[in-house]
Structure formats: C-alpha cells, structure tokens
Amino acid sequence: MSSRLCGRALQTVRAPPAASSGRWTRTASSSSGRGSMNVFNREMKKRQRNWAAALRDGHQYDYLRDEVGSRVADRVYDIARTFPLALDIGAGKGHMAEHLHKDVVERLFLTDVSEKTLKQRKQTEIPTHCVLADEEFLPFKENTFDLVVSSLSLHWINNLPGAFRQIQQVLKPDGVFIGAMVGGETLYELRCSLQLAETEREGGFSPHVSPYTAVTDLGNLLGQAGFNMLTVDTDDVQVHYPGITEVMTDLQGMGESNCAWNRKSMLHRDTILAAAAIYKEMYGNEDGSIPATFEILYMIGWKPHESQAKPAKRGSASVSFGDLSKLNQPPPPAQS
C-alpha cells in the first residue's frame, strides 16, 4: 500500500460489505465522565464513526484498516494453534476477520461502539456474534476467550492501562492478545505543518492531531496489566496524497478525526493554505504528492499459565558472563 490510489484501487475489486449471519447483542454503554484519564470525547468518536459508516463511498477509505488488519491476521497465523473462541475489539467492518479462516478461529465475537459500522461488516466464513459495546467497558466474563485481537482502535481509549487489564481478564489462562494501534510518530508531517502555519498566522497553535502512545511505554503497560512473554514491534505505513486537503478528508472518511477534549474545532482558511505550502516544501515528493506516515505499534501478550516457559531463577546460572569470551578458546595443554 504505497499510495492512496493503490489502496483505493484494491477496494474496487473486492466484494462490497455484506451482512453475515451473525447475531446481534446490544449492551448498555457507560459514558466516560470527565476525569484525570479522560483525554478523548468518546461520544464524539462514536458520532464520527457513525458518520463515516454512513458515507455512500465509505469503502474507499478502508485501505489503511484493511492493510493493518491483514498484518494482524498474519500474526495470528504465526501461532500454531486453533482458537475455539475469539474476540475482536473495535472490529469496525471486520477488516481483520475477513483475513481469518475457520480452521484457525472457530467462532468470533465482534465489538464496536458504532452500530452503523458493524452493520457493514464484511462476509466471513467464521460464525460471528456482534456486540455493540464501548472498547473501554468490555461486557464479558473473566476467562472467556482463547484469543483477543484489536486493530486500529485502542489509540482512542482514555484509560489504556484499564483496557489492557480488561482484555487480560476476559482471556482464558494461556490465552493470547494480539493488537495493533497507532503510535506517537503518526502524521508527524501533518502535525508539524499545522503547528508552523498556525504559529505564523495566528501567533500560537492548538492541537489538531490526537496524542498517541509511544512505543517505549507499550511494553510497560502490557506488563502492568498482567501479560507475559511480550512482543512489541513497529511498522511505518506511508501513504501518498495529492495535498493536505486530501489527507484531512481521508482521515475524516476513516472516522479518525481528532476527538480530544482540548482540540480546536475550526481552522482558518489562511492557516490551511499556509500549512499546505509548508507541507509540500518540507515533505513533498518530486511528483508533487505529499507523504503521510502512520506509525503502527504491534503487540502480543499472553495470559500467564503454569504450562508456559518461565525464566530461570536468579543465581541459578552455571557459567559466569566473564567466562563467555573463553568458550571458543582451546583448553590449556595438559601438564605431565
């Protein structure tokens, strides 16, 4: 997915979203009140996703979710086991479920905060059950799922440590969580261009791109939530657009517009024009297009179980680190 045009061309050859035979469950959602951990307006995010799902040509904005969903699915296949029951948090239109097979995942629960988005879920051979629920309040019992996955949803969570704890709780012992979320370096080109333009034209700047989690914090958050055998890696997905207007239009079509409480709701026309010029000057390609970088953080964590491999006890080593350099040296000659 090296370009926006390529991403959208791929969409045109795929079957349109179709309703599957999965059942529906509606749960009572808790609205997050303003508090110390409340960075995002979750109600606004719900409205943004519903608005994006109602677009007649909304499928053309799915290219990033489809790409990342396939990469998360690849990580599921890396684990040599079958999962009888799995949960997809923030599943959207089933961007990851369409890449899974029923011989790997036998039954799947899909959750999302947007009912309109779930209604457009893509056809899959896996028996599915849709649950309308906020990612911050999982309505499931402890020790329920063998696998929990999430793709491009958790970066809008206010209490990310709490969300990880809930995921760990609903997993069965020896269950695995595989997720992907947007990282802190995402859209740095857009962020820098808007800040410079707004400072020049208005004498100061406000946040227009949401704050994201840094990769250096992710492992600690997963460990504090009770996961072990952690794997965290990053991947940059770069998409090329004609201009800054197309970048912001596609973010809106994805349902990925800023919903932070401290966001500035309006941008002056002069500021946008200045930001567009700065964007092209600082980051523009030779063909006139501009890049937008999405830093994707991938994570894998396991719920502890007695069958899992454990590190050796401290002090149980039989070889000193100081002796490692001598291992390849020939032994001293025997004395007569």
Side-chain angles (χ1 to χ4, degrees):
M1 195 196 65
S2 60
S3 69
R4 177 179 184 228
L5 182 60
C6 178
R8 292 190 173 181
L10 288 173
Q11 290 298 308
T12 62
V13 300
R14 294 184 179 177
S20 69
S21 59
R23 295 177 295 163
W24 269 82
T25 300
R26 182 187 298 271
T27 66
S29 61
S30 304
S31 60
S32 14
R34 297 196 177 218
S36 59
M37 297 293 292
N38 199 322
V39 178
F40 303 114
N41 183 342
R42 294 289 298 171
E43 187 61 32
M44 171 165 284
K45 179 50 59 182
K46 178 181 177 180
R47 292 197 301 268
Q48 289 175 353
R49 288 181 178 176
N50 281 328
W51 180 89
L55 293 175
R56 181 172 299 179
D57 59 348
H59 64 279
Q60 69 177 334
Y61 302 108
D62 292 341
Y63 52 89
L64 182 64
R65 294 187 185 278
D66 288 339
E67 177 67 22
V68 176
S70 69
R71 299 185 186 188
V72 176
D74 287 342
R75 286 163 168 78
V76 176
Y77 287 115
D78 288 340
I79 301 175
R81 67 168 64 176
T82 298
F83 301 98
L85 186 60
L87 170 65
D88 187 350
I89 299 175
K93 300 175 185 177
H95 306 281
M96 181 170 44
E98 66 172 339
H99 300 288
L100 298 174
H101 299 294
K102 61 182 178 181
D103 56 342
V104 176
V105 175
E106 296 178 350
R107 192 169 165 220
L108 179 64
F109 275 68
L110 305 177
T111 72
D112 200 274
V113 72
S114 168
E115 181 176 358
K116 291 184 178 180
T117 303
L118 280 176
K119 284 183 176 180
Q120 296 182 24
R121 64 194 182 277
K122 302 179 181 182
Q123 191 71 35
T124 175
E125 61 181 14
I126 303 173
T128 61
H129 187 124
C130 294
V131 179
L132 185 64
D134 194 317
E135 297 97 329
E136 293 188 340
F137 305 96
L138 298 181
F140 303 104
K141 296 181 180 180
E142 294 186 13
N143 305 320
T144 299
F145 297 98
D146 305 279
L147 167 70
V148 175
V149 293
S150 180
S151 180
L152 296 188
S153 175
L154 295 179
H155 54 277
W156 294 115
I157 296 295
N158 280 305
N159 186 359
L160 190 57
F164 283 154
R165 284 193 294 271
Q166 290 187 62
I167 293 171
Q168 200 265 4
Q169 289 170 359
V170 301
L171 277 170
K172 294 178 181 178
D174 201 33
V176 60
F177 166 56
I178 304 176
M181 61 186 294
V182 169
E185 295 302 314
T186 293
L187 297 175
Y188 68 87
E189 304 99 336
L190 177 63
R191 182 187 296 111
C192 183
S193 300
L194 287 173
Q195 288 179 356
L196 290 175
E198 201 167 18
T199 300
E200 176 191 352
R201 298 301 172 94
E202 303 179 34
F205 65 86
S206 300
H208 296 285
V209 179
S210 296
Y212 299 120
T213 303
V215 64
T216 52
D217 299 328
L218 199 53
N220 290 333
L221 293 175
L222 290 168
Q224 292 171 7
F227 289 100
N228 61 10
M229 297 192 296
L230 303 177
T231 302
V232 177
D233 63 290
T234 66
D235 193 10
D236 287 345
V237 177
Q238 195 169 82
V239 188
H240 298 272
Y241 297 89
I244 194 173
T245 303
E246 287 76 14
V247 176
M248 293 189 288
T249 298
D250 273 30
L251 289 174
Q252 189 177 26
M254 295 176 190
E256 290 295 309
S257 299
N258 189 359
C259 68
W261 287 107
N262 64 345
R263 72 193 181 283
K264 185 177 179 180
S265 57
M266 296 294 293
L267 270 172
H268 295 296
R269 182 173 181 274
D270 288 348
T271 301
I272 296 178
L273 293 174
I278 293 172
Y279 206 136
K280 283 187 177 292
E281 178 65 26
M282 293 182 63
Y283 306 106
N285 300 315
E286 293 182 359
D287 61 0
S289 64
I290 58 173
T293 302
F294 298 87
E295 182 189 34
I296 310 299
L297 311 182
Y298 297 94
M299 68 206 86
I300 301 176
W302 294 79
K303 187 166 183 175
H305 187 262
E306 59 183 8
S307 65
Q308 295 171 353
K310 296 178 177 61
K313 293 183 179 180
R314 187 179 182 87
S316 61
S318 58
V319 178
S320 169
F321 276 107
D323 296 332
L324 292 179
S325 60
K326 304 176 183 178
L327 292 179
N328 293 328
Q329 295 180 2
Q335 295 182 358
S336 55

